[in-house]
Amino acid sequence: MAQEKTSIFGLLGFPVKHSFSPAMHNAAFKYLKINARYGLFEKKPQELEDFLNSLARQNICGLNVTIPYKERVLDFVELDKESFYLREIRAVNTIVVEGGILKGFNTDIPGFSKHLKEQIDPLNKKTAILGAGGAGRAVAYVLASSKAKEIAIYDIDRKKSQGVVDLIKKVFLNFNIEAVGRIEDLNIKEKDLLVNATPIGMEKTDPYLVTEEMLYKDLFVYDLIYNPPQTKLLALAKKVGAKTSNGLGMLLYQGVLSFGHFTGVDAPVEIMRQALTKELEKCRKF
Ligand code: NAP
């Protein structure tokens, strides 16, 4: 009897070497006895188009997409009605190959939303975001759609933070969002929630993003970084008595939602969580 072909899934990006996604998805496939494998596809920008055009031929059934391609893949995917706002957000992180067509989704947005809301309800909250890249756009979308009271956003590149303001105002008319030119102008002490969506904190040598004086005990600080589990920002926030969260739960939930798109079945959340935790123990940075 001919053996059923193994379905291939994977993470597309450049670079993708230290991703936790293979461990998380492969643990779920194994647990559910699904004949599938999740690998890494590190592609240079000039290889992207050929690669995306060859997915069906290579029996690649689905992809997650990471830096720097979340925006570029929009040119290759179809979006259904519910996902149409992704043209504005300019970020697709999940692709499903269906009959030769590539369908695009974003699971970072509901993944962040679910994990954040397990800890704090953004409704009517005064919020601040550091970083206006793909993740910053997703965070701003979640906070605005959850009816936060206001957002102040800071990025070292003022054009990028202004871009997020323009995008949010286009999708959520009259939403109270402003881009500030200096981190001090975020007025974090008047906010309820601070989200770090910059990569600053991933390396031991990274500087502190804020000073201790900018933080206070009634603030909730969410850092999208999950490795290390406690960044300098989170350590400082804890020191002043603030509540904190790292981004491991967001990583888990975006993976769980992608797995659902890939397979059409419910993901084994606890199995995926255990796989992630194990992986983190193995390659904990500091
Ligand atoms: P990105 O597109 O590179 O955006 C990061 C933005 O932050 C850039 O605009 C960058 O500006 C800016 N920035 C850098 N240093 C800054 C500073 N000191 N102050 C203010 N802004 C600064 O990256 P991304 O895809 O949005 O990801 C951001 C972080 O979120 C990464 O650490 C990523 O691993 C994490 N993330 C986590 C999850 C999760 O599941 N937990 C999901 C997505 C992303 P320049 O480009 O000029 O440097």
Side-chain angles (χ1 to χ4, degrees), residues 57-69:
R57 234 178 15 253
Q58 294 193 63
N59 200 34
I60 296 174
C61 307
L63 291 172
N64 285 123
V65 183
T66 187
I67 297 174
Y69 299 132

Side-chain angles (χ1 to χ4, degrees), residues 19-145:
S19 167
F20 292 3
S21 291
M24 173 168 58
H25 286 280
N26 285 325
F29 290 141
K30 190 172 168 196
Y31 179 78
L32 294 176
K33 298 187 171 58
I34 294 174
N35 183 9
R37 185 163 49 80
Y38 190 104
L40 294 176
F41 298 104
E42 185 165 296
K43 299 290 167 192
K44 297 197 180 88
Q46 61 272 25
E47 297 170 332
L48 186 71
E49 185 168 353
D50 282 349
F51 174 68
L52 289 174
N53 287 330
S54 72
L55 296 182
R57 234 178 15 253
Q58 294 193 63
N59 200 34
I60 296 174
C61 307
L63 291 172
N64 285 123
V65 183
T66 187
I67 297 174
Y69 299 132
K70 286 185 187 178
E71 190 167 347
R72 247 188 94 188
V73 297
L74 268 168
D75 293 339
F76 299 87
V77 299
E78 280 188 7
L79 299 175
D80 60 20
K81 255 202 222 129
E82 291 82 63
S83 305
F84 214 73
Y85 69 98
L86 298 181
R87 290 254 173 251
E88 306 286 350
I89 301 292
R90 303 195 314 280
V92 160
N93 80 323
T94 303
I95 294 175
V96 176
V97 186
E98 252 180 48
I101 291 168
L102 311 192
K103 294 199 160 175
F105 303 91
N106 184 310
T107 64
D108 282 336
I109 292 174
F112 170 68
S113 179
K114 181 169 164 57
H115 189 229
L116 180 73
K117 286 173 186 171
E118 284 178 355
Q119 303 169 88
I120 177 173
D121 182 354
L123 178 73
N124 282 329
K125 298 289 190 299
K126 296 179 174 182
T127 68
I129 303 173
L130 298 168
R137 286 201 296 275
V139 168
Y141 184 88
V142 169
L143 297 180
S145 61

Side-chain angles (χ1 to χ4, degrees), residues 178-274:
E178 62 160 349
V180 301
R182 296 181 322 143
I183 204 160
E184 293 78 7
D185 296 336
L186 284 174
N187 288 328
I188 297 168
K189 273 204 160 135
E190 289 173 12
K191 301 290 190 272
D192 304 300
L193 170 67
L194 171 68
V195 182
N196 176 34
T198 79
I200 306 300
M202 292 174 81
E203 303 304 327
K204 208 172 183 169
T205 49
D206 281 348
Y208 280 91
L209 276 163
V210 296
T211 62
E212 190 176 332
E213 291 66 42
M214 290 181 195
L215 306 175
Y216 74 113
K217 75 170 182 30
D218 291 330
L219 187 68
F220 192 101
V221 182
Y222 190 109
D223 198 328
L224 262 59
I225 295 171
Y226 49 85
N227 190 16
Q230 181 166 278
T231 57
K232 283 181 180 168
L233 172 67
L234 293 187
L236 215 52
K238 273 194 186 148
K239 197 171 162 207
V240 302
K243 291 199 179 76
T244 64
S245 172
N246 68 28
L248 196 68
M250 174 181 175
L251 180 71
L252 170 67
Y253 290 138
Q254 65 75 29
V256 162
L257 293 162
S258 291
F259 189 91
H261 287 303
F262 291 156
T263 61
V265 301
D266 286 344
V269 183
E270 287 316 310
I271 297 295
M272 292 171 83
R273 192 194 302 273
Q274 280 166 26

